[in-house]
Amino acid sequence: MSDSHDLLVIGGGPAGLAAATEAAATGLEVALVDERPTLGGQIFKQPGPGFRVRDPRALGRDFLRGRQLIEAAEASGARLLLSTSAVAVRGGEVVLVADGERARTVTARRVVVAPGAHDRPVAFPGWTLPGVVTAGAAQSLVKTQRVVPGERIVFAGSGPLALAFPAQLHHFGANVVLALEAGRRPGVADLLRLAAAGTGNLSLLRDAAGYRLELARGRVPLRYARIVVRAEGDGKVEEIVHATVDAGWRVVPGTEERIDADTLCVGYGFLPSVELLRLAGCELGYDEDLGGAVVVVDEWMRTTVPGISAAGDGTGVAGSFVAIDEGRLAALGVAVDLEALAPEAARRRAAPMRARLRRKEAFRRALRPLHAVGGGVYDLAAPDTVICRCEEVTRSELDAAIDSSPDIDVIKSFTRVGMGLCQGKTCQRQIAGMVAHRHGLSPAAVALPTPRAPVRPVALAAIADDAVEDLGLFVRE
Amino acid sequence: VSDVRLAAEQVRGPLPSETDVAIVGGGLAGTALAYYLACEGVDVVVLERSELNREASGTNAGSFHFQIAIHQLTARETAGSYARLLSDVRLLLRAAELWGTLETELDGELGLHATGGLMVAETPAELQILHDKHEIEAEAGLETHVLEGAELRRFAPYLAEDLLGATYCPAEGHANPFLAAPLFARRAVDGGAVVRTGVEVTAVEPGFLLTTTAGPLRARRVVDAAGAWADDVAALSGVTLPIRREGLHVNVTEPRQKVLEPLVQHIGRRLTLKQAANGTFIIGGGWPARREERPARYSTIWQSAAGNAAVAVRVMPGLADVRVVRMWTGVMAFTDDLQPVVGEVESLPGYFICIATTGFTLGPMIAKMLAANMARGEALPPEYAPDRKGTRWTATT
């Protein structure tokens, strides 16, 4: 394969697929990489090896939408490189590692980063017990393997997913015994506001209604303003303790209840996977609703780093409909920059996308008061609760380090927090929340640790290159 | 370690209006100097523009390399390299002795481990260098052993079978660089020193009057302990220091079962390798990183990672499938003659420099020497003087 491209798209979810398809249609030479063996990203994750889909319609509307996107990309002429991770980026140079192969550096005139999102972790006593799974992981199990994670499932979380997910699980035959939403129950004012913002978003409202119906039919209790305060059990989840929270998600004393369960599925929303974008040096903003650190983009999804655009949940978690339009906009911007498309034609083509994005944005704003993440989630951990799972750092160890400095790099150096296999993807937000709380800062003001390559672990033999000459640091003539 | 850290409030207070000694730089040299001066009863204030221990002192692998290494052999030198190497090794031995006493003296954990260290050779020419340097080391009083063939394979079965030889130095080892400067800072404050972070010195008038971002500070004496940025600080007083800063690349892997006890270096190629107590391999050895403007850290160069990984896998083939989870960079203060800079600037009485070039190992040692000089007039080695005359060194005002 050639090592230079007009456009390299990183990520084969809705945003990346849409970007590659749209760009290829303008005649650009496009390559798309995704670390998984199949396309679709998390939302349109395809059934795993050994599964054959006889009746796609039986798998639901989302599955069909995903298939359409994938098939369009496959027919677009873009090269689709699967099982290939982008592990480092600098300008138009991207280091790719295909499974079992050596790293190679490719160059691209433009790069669209569409990295998607990952589950927002919330640490509470027992969150590391076997039987606690994130919503994303449970969805992966269902979508790729058609298995549900347990026999008595409690769902706890917040946001649109908190309704959708237990309903979907129930639909798949899972025994969901309780669903907890940390946000408050929608009132009449909320429903009116949502209805007002509903223009063009009817399918989302219809979905929401459908999910409620599914839960009601299955007699799955859905309780608002309740949060999991701990999971208990001997080596595995056996009991869940939950309690009422106030508007800031702080636990109201004396409201604890217990329920038997073997599985706790937690879904407090998603965080944009901004590692590559940070590594590239793209400027980030902050939007708690969109998952915290979000990359700054212009009207064509161009970041502040020349040649690098971003699209999809990686620019702020807003779902697959938004991601698809953002991916297309990014591609149109690239096509204009590379003179594959006239600016006027791009503007025309973008107009309906922008209209859809405006409607989605209005809807999201209407939802905001119901699901804004409360600061109380950062207070659930007990002193001996492990916050950094990779390095097994407990809350009390972290608190002591946080006392000495608000600088996360300093806190890392004292505790090794965030220095393990996941490189802080799991605990970083929790720690930023704790720092903000201790030092009286807003979460937006807490600087994230220095971004470092590789954004996925890579074997030394895959990195090694005997052809590299001694770069001669010490010798100076 | 929680009990030895300074709390944020202890380093954020107002500045005193005057002091005897103002130390610019809160790295290992600055905090250790503050500790030793406080022990001597000297009034001292440390000014750090960001956080303590955040530059070279806290971004290195914490290794104690006592054997003569590739960069010492390749430093350009007009004459007398034998004498220089001999004195280098002797200074390192004194530094090693000091480190051995620090956990007791400072009453805190430093993560000291005398693991021993290997320096490997691939070619006959490299093997010859090992024998040659072994002689210098023996004369300086550093115990090293040259191991070859079956003896080496028995001693270090994890090394590639076709390596020709290695010197083993039992005294080599490492400390935890995250602990050293913070512990010195804590004990300095216990002894009466004032430590302030987030305070940048923006001007220095003779006499001395320091203008800082936290207000003015009068000081009878000033010490530039700003490490890789010591030249910038010296320039505030009109002193030109030929210090360079270089970024160094480090590859860190996932943890694996402990198989590698000693440090490993290469006499002919850029490699330092060790397995930390938690099982991660820390691999570096002089591969460059890209300079970025502060406050950004030096960024990594993939080529450095690739070249560094190639040498590591060549020397220890078992590393092939071990995954790198993070590449980081350290910055290093670096003089072309590879000697520390310790002492008073002749042309500017009261102005001192305290920089251990390429040296986590030397930091506490040179700080202690300078403290004894400043408090009691004890003489300092002339070869480290800021005003020394050498082909590779000139400080001017």
Side-chain angles (χ1 to χ4, degrees):
Chain A
M1 161 197 137
S2 159
D3 275 351
S4 70
H5 306 282
D6 285 338
L7 170 64
L8 177 68
V9 178
I10 299 170
L17 289 168
T21 306
E22 190 81 25
T26 68
L28 292 175
E29 188 278 319
V30 181
L32 177 148
V33 296
D34 192 281
E35 61 191 356
R36 300 197 64 257
T38 56
L39 291 167
Q42 296 299 324
I43 176 85
F44 301 132
K45 205 171 249 182
Q46 299 298 296
F51 287 88
R52 196 151 47 91
V53 179
R54 288 221 186 83
D55 179 7
R57 263 178 301 184
L59 291 177
R61 203 151 40 93
D62 267 358
F63 181 80
L64 292 175
R65 284 175 59 222
R67 279 314 314 170
Q68 277 171 11
L69 270 178
I70 292 168
E71 282 159 17
E74 284 169 345
S76 71
R79 267 182 261 198
L80 308 174
L81 308 168
L82 299 176
S83 302
T84 302
S85 300
V87 297
V89 58
R90 181 173 175 84
E93 289 194 351
V94 182
V95 180
L96 300 178
V97 183
D99 286 0
E101 290 176 25
R102 277 175 188 264
R104 65 178 196 278
T105 302
V106 301
T107 57
R109 297 167 72 197
R110 290 291 183 279
V111 179
V112 172
V113 184
H118 56 273
D119 291 274
R120 174 198 289 267
V122 169
F124 48 85
W127 76 296
T128 55
L129 271 179
V132 180
V133 293
T134 63
Q139 275 187 324
S140 272
L141 277 177
V142 169
K143 285 175 186 167
T144 67
Q145 305 297 322
R146 322 307 286 176
V147 295
V148 293
E151 285 169 10
R152 279 181 62 82
I153 302 172
V154 170
F155 178 90
S158 181
L161 190 79
L163 192 58
F165 190 66
Q168 286 168 351
L169 268 183
H170 182 263
H171 181 78
F172 275 110
N175 179 27
V176 181
V177 295
L178 176 65
L180 305 171
E181 157 67 77
R184 63 186 162 79
R185 178 186 295 277
V188 174
D190 298 308
L191 294 176
L192 288 174
R193 200 176 55 244
L194 282 173
T199 320
N201 293 303
L202 283 175
S203 68
L204 293 180
L205 286 172
R206 202 167 51 228
D207 283 351
Y211 295 141
R212 289 199 70 118
L213 193 62
E214 177 78 34
L215 292 181
R217 273 199 204 117
R219 299 185 199 290
V220 177
L222 169 62
R223 299 181 61 181
Y224 288 93
R226 299 285 293 179
I227 205 168
V228 165
V229 292
R230 57 184 186 275
E232 294 177 354
D234 183 10
K236 60 184 194 321
V237 171
E238 288 166 358
E239 240 183 326
I240 307 298
V241 181
H242 53 102
T244 297
V245 288
D246 65 15
W249 292 20
R250 279 173 296 267
V251 172
V252 178
T255 59
E256 288 191 359
E257 291 175 37
R258 295 171 165 272
I259 183 168
D260 288 343
D262 64 358
T263 302
L264 171 63
C265 187
V266 280
Y268 290 96
F270 297 92
L271 305 178
S273 299
V274 291
E275 298 84 33
L276 263 185
L277 293 161
R278 292 187 64 219
L279 194 61
C282 302
E283 189 185 327
L284 297 186
Y286 191 90
D287 186 327
E288 186 66 54
D289 274 2
L290 293 177
V294 292
V295 67
V296 174
V297 290
D298 70 7
E299 75 275 18
W300 294 108
M301 308 307 292
R302 290 178 289 224
T303 71
T304 53
V305 173
I308 298 183
S309 303
D313 279 357
T315 67
V317 178
S320 65
F321 288 95
V322 170
I324 291 167
D325 279 330
E326 286 186 349
R328 287 179 180 145
L329 282 179
L332 292 173
V334 166
V336 170
D337 286 352
L338 298 183
E339 296 178 350
L341 192 64
E344 187 44 43
R347 271 194 295 277
R348 263 200 314 276
R349 196 150 163 65
M353 302 169 196
R354 295 193 193 284
R356 282 194 295 269
L357 287 173
R358 276 193 297 274
R359 288 198 295 271
K360 294 284 178 295
E361 172 66 14
F363 193 64
R364 190 174 68 77
R365 284 183 193 285
L367 268 175
R368 184 191 304 228
L370 287 175
H371 301 301
V373 173
V377 288
Y378 301 121
D379 297 332
L380 295 171
D384 63 348
T385 303
V386 167
I387 304 288
C388 169
R389 307 182 71 160
C390 301
E391 296 290 329
E392 298 183 333
V393 184
T394 63
R395 165 144 195 199
S396 60
E397 289 166 320
L398 254 172
D399 279 340
I402 292 172
D403 277 346
S404 70
S405 175
D407 182 327
I408 292 189
D409 280 312
V410 172
I411 294 160
K412 274 174 74 174
S413 76
F414 276 129
T415 59
R416 296 195 56 79
V417 76
M419 288 166 77
L421 209 53
C422 91
Q423 288 296 295
K425 290 177 193 79
T426 311
C427 63
Q428 200 164 277
R429 276 304 298 281
Q430 175 89 26
I431 290 155
M434 291 166 67
V435 168
H437 191 254
R438 163 65 175 79
H439 292 279
L441 304 167
S442 81
V446 178
L448 297 173
T450 310
R452 290 298 187 196
V455 300
R456 293 289 184 272
V458 187
L460 274 161
I463 295 172
D465 183 351
D466 288 314
V468 176
E469 299 278 317
D470 186 330
L471 301 177
L473 181 68
F474 292 99
V475 185
R476 182 168 289 200
E477 294 309 323
Chain B
V1 296
S2 56
D3 55 328
V4 301
R5 280 189 296 257
L6 291 167
E9 289 73 14
Q10 287 174 281
V11 292
R12 290 282 196 265
L15 271 189
S17 59
E18 58 179 35
T19 182
D20 180 351
V21 178
I23 299 172
V24 185
L28 184 55
T31 56
L33 179 62
Y35 166 75
Y36 289 117
L37 285 174
C39 289
E40 302 271 6
V42 176
D43 198 18
V44 56
V45 176
V46 178
L47 304 169
E48 164 55 48
R49 66 178 165 185
S50 67
E51 299 274 343
L52 296 176
N53 202 38
R54 277 300 288 138
E55 302 295 345
S57 307
T59 56
N60 67 83
S63 299
F64 299 136
H65 296 300
F66 303 136
Q67 301 186 60
I68 295 164
I70 175 174
H71 64 268
Q72 290 164 289
L73 295 170
T74 52
R76 199 174 68 178
E77 188 74 18
T78 48
S81 74
Y82 186 86
R84 173 178 60 83
L85 291 171
L86 204 59
S87 87
D88 281 2
V89 175
R90 286 187 173 135
L91 181 71
L92 286 168
L93 278 171
R94 287 177 61 195
E97 212 173 296
L98 177 64
W99 272 104
T101 65
L102 283 179
E103 284 193 330
T104 309
E105 175 168 355
L106 299 176
D107 189 22
E109 194 192 328
L110 292 172
L112 285 175
H113 297 282
T115 57
L118 287 160
M119 178 85 69
V120 305
E122 276 184 73
T123 66
E126 288 171 359
L127 185 59
Q128 186 55 50
I129 296 174
L130 290 188
H131 283 284
D132 293 347
K133 81 173 189 65
H134 166 70
E135 278 179 34
I136 302 175
E137 287 157 354
E139 190 181 335
L142 178 68
E143 180 187 346
T144 55
H145 306 272
V146 183
L147 308 172
E148 293 179 54
E151 195 185 5
L152 176 61
R153 283 190 286 280
R154 252 197 325 276
F155 187 80
Y158 38 80
L159 293 181
E161 287 190 359
D162 57 344
L163 290 175
L164 292 188
T167 41
Y168 177 69
C169 173
E172 289 187 324
H174 53 90
N176 185 340
F178 295 147
L179 301 180
L183 182 57
F184 269 117
R186 170 61 194 265
R187 294 304 175 225
V189 169
D190 291 348
V194 173
V195 174
R196 291 290 175 265
T197 62
V199 178
E200 183 161 4
V201 176
T202 54
V204 180
E205 286 166 45
F208 293 89
L209 176 63
L210 286 72
T211 307
T212 81
T213 51
L217 173 66
R218 287 209 166 274
R220 198 164 70 80
R221 294 179 285 180
V222 174
V223 183
D224 177 355
W229 284 271
D231 56 341
D232 291 350
V233 171
L236 296 175
S237 300
V239 176
T240 303
L241 281 185
I243 296 278
R244 286 193 278 128
R245 36 187 169 270
E246 299 285 357
L248 285 177
H249 183 101
V250 179
N251 291 310
V252 181
T253 73
E254 62 189 323
R256 287 290 178 95
Q257 196 173 7
K258 185 89 178 161
V259 292
L260 179 64
E261 179 66 13
L263 313 176
V264 178
Q265 294 185 87
H266 196 303
I267 191 64
R269 298 170 75 185
R270 313 276 176 202
L271 177 70
T272 60
L273 160 65
K274 71 177 177 195
Q275 190 175 17
N278 67 356
T280 60
F281 291 93
I282 300 168
I283 305 167
W287 294 85
R290 190 184 298 105
R291 181 182 294 199
E292 307 281 355
E293 289 310 309
R294 283 188 79 258
R297 323 300 299 180
Y298 279 46
S299 58
T300 53
I301 300 172
W302 190 266
Q303 273 211 314
S304 282
N308 189 197
V311 184
V313 174
R314 162 72 186 94
V315 167
M316 186 171 165
L319 290 175
D321 73 339
V322 181
R323 293 179 299 171
V324 171
V325 298
R326 178 174 66 258
M327 298 167 183
W328 55 266
T329 62
V331 64
M332 185 179 64
F334 182 21
T335 62
D336 282 349
D337 65 359
L338 299 174
Q339 302 293 314
V341 189
V342 188
E344 191 167 10
V345 176
E346 223 171 83
S347 52
L348 188 59
Y351 197 91
F352 296 78
I353 314 285
C354 186
I355 304 157
T357 183
T358 72
F360 176 72
T361 312
L362 289 178
M365 175 77 215
I366 62 157
K368 191 174 185 183
M369 287 162 49
L370 183 58
N373 172 266
M374 293 178 75
R376 292 180 268 112
E378 210 166 275
L380 289 166
E383 62 268 34
Y384 307 145
D387 299 279
R388 62 180 176 259
K389 299 285 178 271
T391 50
R392 309 291 291 157
W393 182 263
T394 358
T396 52
T397 52

